[in-house]
Amino acid sequence: RGVNLKEAFLQGAYLKGANLENANLTNADFSFISDKEEFWIISVLSGANLTKAKLEGANLERAMLQEASLREANLKGANLAEANFENANLVKAILMKADMRGTKFYWANMAGANFIEADLSGAYFLGGSLLDADLMAANLSGRDLTGVNLLGADFGGANLKNARLSEEQLHQAVFSDSTIMPDGETYLTWLKAKRIDEPYSPQTSSQSFDPTD
């Protein structure tokens, strides 16, 4: 707890259930190892306590973080590509400019998290919460967000081209004039085309927006 592991070399580390609360892991390397026979040794942090940990610029590519607590952790600019955050607690975590291409967020709690300018292309979502999360200028192109709690989520300037959202989600989330909507149009153009400025009707809540409409 509170340990200083700044710039530590921790490739393939097994830290399941470890208590790393308030630890300084800035620029630490937890990335996977590929040996000569092409076997992968992946860092395991499942169930670890990383609350308020400093992970800015850390390499957690393909790391296993299922059920880990990263509440208020600083992961700014971290490499989280293809990492697994299933059932993880990312409440109020800082993920600004992080690389999350192909990352799994099944049933993760990301309420109030900061995803500003994060690359979430190829990321996987199933259930979970982005309640009041800040996704300004984030790349979510092609992502299926149906079933995720988007109440109050801010997509100002985000790229949502070809993303899937339900009618209810479209009324719950926040967009700006520069947000690229699922049909590839800016928010204002999309509003006019879809007439989404009309009051939300519960009868449409089960429908998903298809960008090809």
Side-chain angles (χ1 to χ4, degrees), residues 5 56 68 75 78-79 81 84 94-95 103 108 116 118 127 137 141 143 188 195-196 199 203 209:
L5 292 168
E56 188 171 351
L75 292 139
N79 180 2
N84 190 340
I94 299 171
L95 297 142
T103 302
I116 293 176
S141 57
R143 297 307 85 215
L188 285 181
R195 297 177 183 172
I196 204 75
Q203 284 81 357
F209 174 74

Side-chain angles (χ1 to χ4, degrees), residues 1-5 15 17-25 48-54 69 71:
R1 184 172 180 174
V3 66
N4 186 354
L5 292 168
L15 295 165
N19 186 359
L20 294 166
E21 184 175 353
N22 288 312
N24 184 355
L25 294 154
N49 182 4
L50 291 156
T51 302
K52 296 183 179 180
K54 299 174 181 65
S69 176
R71 188 182 182 95

Side-chain angles (χ1 to χ4, degrees), residues 20-127:
L20 294 166
E21 184 175 353
N22 288 312
N24 184 355
L25 294 154
T26 304
N27 292 320
D29 189 352
F30 288 93
S31 61
F32 68 97
I33 300 171
S34 180
D35 63 18
K36 293 179 181 178
E37 297 181 0
E38 297 185 356
F39 287 107
W40 292 344
I41 302 174
I42 299 171
S43 291
V44 177
L45 293 122
S46 304
N49 182 4
L50 291 156
T51 302
K52 296 183 179 180
K54 299 174 181 65
L55 288 152
E56 188 171 351
N59 188 345
L60 286 153
E61 185 176 2
R62 297 185 183 174
M64 298 175 67
L65 291 138
Q66 299 97 317
E67 300 183 359
S69 176
L70 293 112
R71 188 182 182 95
E72 297 182 50
N74 185 353
L75 292 139
K76 181 179 178 180
N79 180 2
L80 306 172
E82 298 185 40
N84 190 340
F85 287 97
E86 184 176 338
N87 285 310
N89 182 348
L90 289 157
V91 172
K92 295 184 178 180
I94 299 171
L95 297 142
M96 184 186 299
K97 296 184 178 180
D99 182 353
M100 289 173 276
R101 291 173 295 174
T103 302
K104 297 179 179 66
F105 292 103
Y106 301 146
W107 303 289
N109 187 353
M110 301 163 280
N114 181 341
F115 289 92
I116 293 176
E117 295 184 17
D119 188 353
L120 289 150
S121 57
Y124 299 92
F125 297 89
L126 180 63

Side-chain angles (χ1 to χ4, degrees), residues 127-199:
S129 175
L130 282 165
L131 174 72
D132 293 327
D134 191 342
L135 295 124
M136 292 179 65
N139 183 4
L140 289 139
S141 57
R143 297 307 85 215
D144 187 348
L145 296 168
T146 54
V148 180
N149 182 357
L150 300 181
L151 184 62
D154 190 344
F155 291 97
N159 182 359
L160 291 166
K161 186 176 182 180
N162 295 321
R164 292 188 63 82
L165 299 90
S166 69
E167 288 286 336
E168 183 176 8
Q169 289 173 309
L170 291 169
H171 283 81
Q172 292 176 337
V174 178
F175 308 98
S176 71
D177 295 353
S178 58
T179 301
I180 304 300
M181 299 305 285
D183 61 358
E185 299 289 348
T186 60
Y187 180 55
L188 285 181
T189 302
W190 178 83
L191 271 180
K192 295 174 182 177
K194 292 293 174 182
R195 297 177 183 172
I196 204 75
D197 53 334
E198 297 175 4

